[in-house]
Amino acid sequence: MKKYSFGIIGCGKIAGEYKFSNKFKSSHFTHAGAFSKYFDPVICLDKNILKAENFKKKWNFKKCSSNINSLKKNTLDVLIVATDIDSHYKILLKILKLDIKLKIVVCEKPLTSNYLLCRKIINLYNKKNIKLITNYQRRYDLKNLTIKNKINKKTFFGDFRSGYCCYSKGALNTSSHMIDLFLLFFGDLKIIKFNGKPFLDYISSDKTKPFALKTKKNKIIYFLPTHYSENKNVEIKLFFSKKILESNDACISWSIRNYVSKNILRYEKNKIKRF
């Protein structure tokens, strides 16, 4: 038996279904896949009891339920909230009212869609001595922590100049991951709003829109919106005085390259004509 236990509220894709709906995705891209390696799966909940029962069988949970009050009957160290954004605040508040002993609650991002509600729920969890973590997992990745250290030392990358991030599927849903990562890399950042027209490629309450982040030294990272049907990858490129840091797969992997020392533009007239 493993030392710690966990439960999960919401039995959808990010909770665990990605593992079974897409053969190319690792189980570690899901909450159940990541936690079940180290924690005992105790209970899973979903408002659709059939969905919860199916999830229980797939991930070997001991119990399942459609009623959040059933959490009272279980001893858990970690509870994961993996439901729709609009339900986060109500569920997080209900967990506190149940007055169950928990060490950590992990909530899928964003914590809520309202800044004031975020501050309120964080304060309530602090008073209860329960750690509340939003699932911005990139800040815990050893690759990103190594990059952060190299950026801070400046001997490897040099000074930060500028950057951009191409993203899709909503400012809250997708770009918030990259904003959190850039907070890790550069510290405090300010959001600059643009007048560019937002568009819908995710949900109506979370449109994809252009904006930028400004560092303390007034360096800019531009966020360029693309439609999910045309570009499913998040692309990042950061320019430093010594190196270029880039990723084409939402920071699962990074490449680091030097600047080209001379103009290497070459072309063939015949090829240009054919094009």
Side-chain angles (χ1 to χ4, degrees):
M1 185 175 177
K2 293 165 186 173
K3 187 176 179 181
Y4 299 107
S5 61
F6 81 101
I8 191 163
I9 302 174
C11 300
K13 289 182 179 180
I14 196 62
E17 285 304 307
Y18 271 137
K19 167 69 175 176
F20 305 99
S21 63
N22 188 337
K23 64 181 179 180
F24 298 109
K25 283 191 180 287
S26 162
S27 61
H28 301 299
F29 281 86
T30 66
H31 292 293
F35 274 85
S36 59
K37 279 192 71 175
Y38 309 100
F39 294 72
D40 269 333
V42 174
I43 184 169
C44 60
L45 296 95
D46 197 279
K47 58 186 179 182
N48 182 334
I49 188 60
L50 294 177
K51 199 172 180 180
E53 288 172 351
N54 189 40
F55 197 87
K56 171 181 174 285
K57 292 175 184 176
K58 287 179 178 179
W59 288 105
N60 297 315
F61 281 87
K62 294 178 177 65
K63 303 174 186 176
C64 67
S65 176
S66 59
N67 189 343
I68 196 170
N69 290 312
S70 60
L71 289 172
K72 287 183 178 180
K73 301 174 184 178
N74 298 273
T75 301
L76 299 170
D77 296 295
V78 177
L79 182 60
I80 300 161
V81 178
T83 58
D84 295 336
I85 296 169
D86 293 339
S87 66
H88 287 180
Y89 181 76
K90 289 181 180 179
I91 290 173
L92 291 169
L93 203 58
K94 180 66 175 177
I95 291 166
L96 289 177
K97 289 179 179 178
L98 291 175
D99 201 29
I100 52 180
K101 291 183 179 180
L102 290 165
K103 292 183 174 69
I104 299 171
V105 171
V106 178
C107 184
E108 188 50 52
K109 49 75 190 170
L111 188 60
T112 79
S113 55
N114 181 287
Y115 174 76
L116 294 178
L117 290 181
C118 285
R119 295 307 315 167
K120 184 176 179 180
I121 202 70
I122 288 168
N123 289 334
L124 289 172
Y125 270 76
N126 285 340
K127 286 178 183 177
K128 284 280 189 177
N129 254 347
I130 300 173
K131 291 187 182 298
L132 179 59
I133 299 171
T134 309
N135 185 38
Y136 291 122
Q137 73 276 18
R138 287 166 179 79
R139 66 166 44 242
Y140 307 108
D141 190 316
L142 290 177
K143 295 191 300 294
N144 296 333
L145 291 171
T146 300
I147 288 170
K148 173 188 181 299
N149 291 332
K150 287 183 178 293
I151 289 173
N152 288 342
K153 289 178 181 177
K154 293 187 179 181
T155 53
F156 183 76
F157 285 108
D159 294 318
F160 177 61
R161 302 298 196 204
S162 65
Y164 67 81
C165 170
C166 293
Y167 80 100
S168 60
K169 284 192 74 177
L172 287 174
N173 180 64
T174 300
S175 75
S176 61
H177 271 296
M178 307 310 140
I179 292 171
D180 187 73
L181 181 64
F182 295 147
L183 282 168
L184 176 72
F185 286 172
F186 303 111
D188 289 341
L189 298 166
K190 289 185 178 179
I191 293 180
I192 303 170
K193 294 181 180 179
F194 292 139
N195 291 326
K197 188 176 180 180
F199 54 83
L200 179 63
D201 68 335
Y202 182 50
I203 56 175
S204 58
S205 60
D206 185 17
K207 291 184 178 179
T208 304
K209 60 185 74 174
F211 64 94
L213 301 177
K214 183 167 70 172
T215 70
K216 286 181 178 179
K217 294 186 176 181
N218 294 322
K219 305 300 182 182
I220 304 296
I221 305 170
Y222 296 94
F223 277 69
L224 310 176
T226 59
H227 201 283
Y228 185 67
S229 63
E230 298 160 355
N231 184 12
K232 292 178 172 57
N233 292 327
V234 175
E235 301 172 14
I236 292 172
K237 186 173 283 190
L238 302 175
F239 299 92
F240 297 83
S241 56
K242 294 182 180 180
K243 308 277 186 184
I244 298 171
L245 176 66
E246 58 189 334
S247 173
N248 292 315
D249 56 13
C251 314
I252 294 172
S253 64
W254 291 97
S255 62
I256 299 169
R257 60 185 176 87
N258 295 317
Y259 286 96
V260 176
S261 58
K262 60 182 180 179
N263 190 338
I264 59 168
L265 179 63
R266 301 187 198 86
Y267 63 90
E268 295 289 338
K269 289 182 178 179
N270 288 337
K271 288 184 179 179
I272 296 294
K273 287 178 181 178
R274 284 198 296 273
F275 177 79

